[in-house]
Amino acid sequence: MKRTNLVILPLIIGAVVIFYTRPFERATVSDIDTPWVRTRLLSFTRTSQPLVQPVQTHQDEATDQQFSIESTKPRSTGYQPLPSSVIDRIKVFVLFVGHARSGHSIVGSILDSHPHIVIAHESNILKKTYYATSKSYLYNQLWKSSYMQASGGLRTANSTKKGYSLAIHGACQGSYQSYIDVIGDKKGDMTSTIFGYNSKRFQNTVNKLRSIINVPIKLFHVIRNPYDNIATAVLYQSFKFLHISAIKQSNESVTVNPNVIDSQIEAYFYHYRAAEGVKLVMPDHETMEVHGKDLISDPKAVISDMCKYLEVHCSDDYMNVASKQVFGGESKTRYKIKWEDYQILKVQEHISEFDSLKRYIDFDY
C-alpha cells in the first residue's frame, strides 16, 4: 500500500504543476459574448515565462545623425534581450486605445519603424502587468514582440495573414539604433475592453504599471469613420475572409441581417465610451487622437505630430520611409452593406455624444 502511494503521489503533484503553469489559450474580442470567454480572456493569469530575462550586450552603435535606412534592418543574429543601459534610458511608455479595425496596426507599425521607438504588435502588456515585478520583464516582452513581428509576423514583406503586410521596407521595424526613447504596445481594443469590463481593475493595473516603469504613459486613440468601422465588423461577422475580399472589390453593396448591424452599432459605441473612459481616468490626461482620414490625406504631417507628442526627433529619412506604409485611400466599407434609415439615424445619435466623432455625422463624409 505504501509503495503504491509513493508511485501515485509524484503523478498527482506533476498534474497540479502542469495545470497551474500552463499558458491559457488565446481568445479574441469577437469571442467575448459568452461569460466563460469573458472571464477567461479578461482575468489576469499566470505565465510559465521567467519574470526577468538575462541581459546581453547590444552591438548597435548608430546615432540620430548617422541614420541609415539600410543599417536599421532587423539583425539576422536572432532575438537578444535588451541590455540594462537601454532599459534605463527609456523615457515614455505608450498604450493604444480604441476600437478594433480602426487603423491601430498601421499607426503602431509606423511608430515601430522609428530608430528609437519600439511598439509591440498586440503583446497585451496590461494583462502581463498583473504578474510583472520588473520593467526589465515588461520591456523585453514588448521588444521581443516587435522583433518577432518583423522577423516572421505581420511586419514582414511576405505576410498574408490578414491579406496585407505591415512591413515598411528598409525601416527600423524589429530593431533600434543604439538606444530606445519610447516603448509600448499596440493593443487598443483590449485596453478599451478591459476598462469596460472592470474599470477599477484597469485603474489598479495602470497604477501598478506606473510604479514599475516610473516613466510617463502616453495614449494614442486611433479613430476611423464609425460607419466604416461598423460595416467592417458586420462583414467579418457575416462572411468568410475570401468573400469579404470579393465584396470590397465589388461596386455593389450586400444585404445582411439587420440584427447584425444593430448589434455592431451598439458594440462600437460601447467600446468608444470605454475608450473615452480610459482617457478620463489617466491621471495626466496624456492622449493624442489620430484620425485615419487625416493620416491618409497628409501622412507626413500626422507622423510629425506623433513624433512631437512623443518628444522624439523626426528625420526627413524616417518620415519619407514611414509615410509609404499609409494606404492610398480610405476603405469606405460603409458603402458595401445596405443600411436601414433608422440605423443611420441611430449612429448619428450616438456620434453627437462625442466631440471627437462629430466630424463623421454625415454618412457621406
Side-chain angles (χ1 to χ4, degrees), residues 66-135:
Q66 296 170 325
F67 176 66
S68 164
I69 297 299
E70 291 302 317
S71 70
T72 60
K73 290 181 179 180
R75 297 182 305 279
S76 59
T77 53
Y79 164 77
Q80 295 179 356
L82 297 172
S84 57
S85 59
V86 172
I87 290 173
D88 293 338
R89 184 191 169 103
I90 294 171
K91 301 174 183 177
V92 174
F93 193 94
V94 168
L95 290 173
F96 281 67
V97 65
H99 197 279
R101 305 191 184 282
S102 295
H104 297 91
S105 295
I106 296 171
V107 174
S109 180
I110 289 171
L111 292 174
D112 189 61
S113 67
H114 189 283
H116 303 302
I117 299 177
V118 169
I119 300 295
H121 182 80
E122 301 186 354
S123 179
N124 206 353
I125 204 65
L126 285 179
K127 181 178 178 180
K128 294 174 181 176
T129 298
Y130 186 73
Y131 49 76
T133 59
S134 73
K135 63 181 178 182

Side-chain angles (χ1 to χ4, degrees), residues 156-180:
T156 55
N158 59 352
S159 172
T160 58
K161 183 178 179 181
K162 291 190 175 182
Y164 58 86
S165 170
L166 294 172
I168 302 177
H169 178 67
C172 198
Q173 291 174 300
S175 187
Y176 61 93
Q177 286 188 349
S178 185
Y179 60 88
I180 299 171

Side-chain angles (χ1 to χ4, degrees), residues 342-359:
Y342 80 87
Q343 293 168 334
I344 294 175
L345 290 173
K346 188 68 174 177
V347 173
Q348 291 175 337
E349 180 184 325
H350 283 305
I351 285 176
S352 64
E353 300 175 26
F354 307 99
D355 290 338
S356 54
L357 288 181
K358 286 181 179 177
R359 63 190 285 188

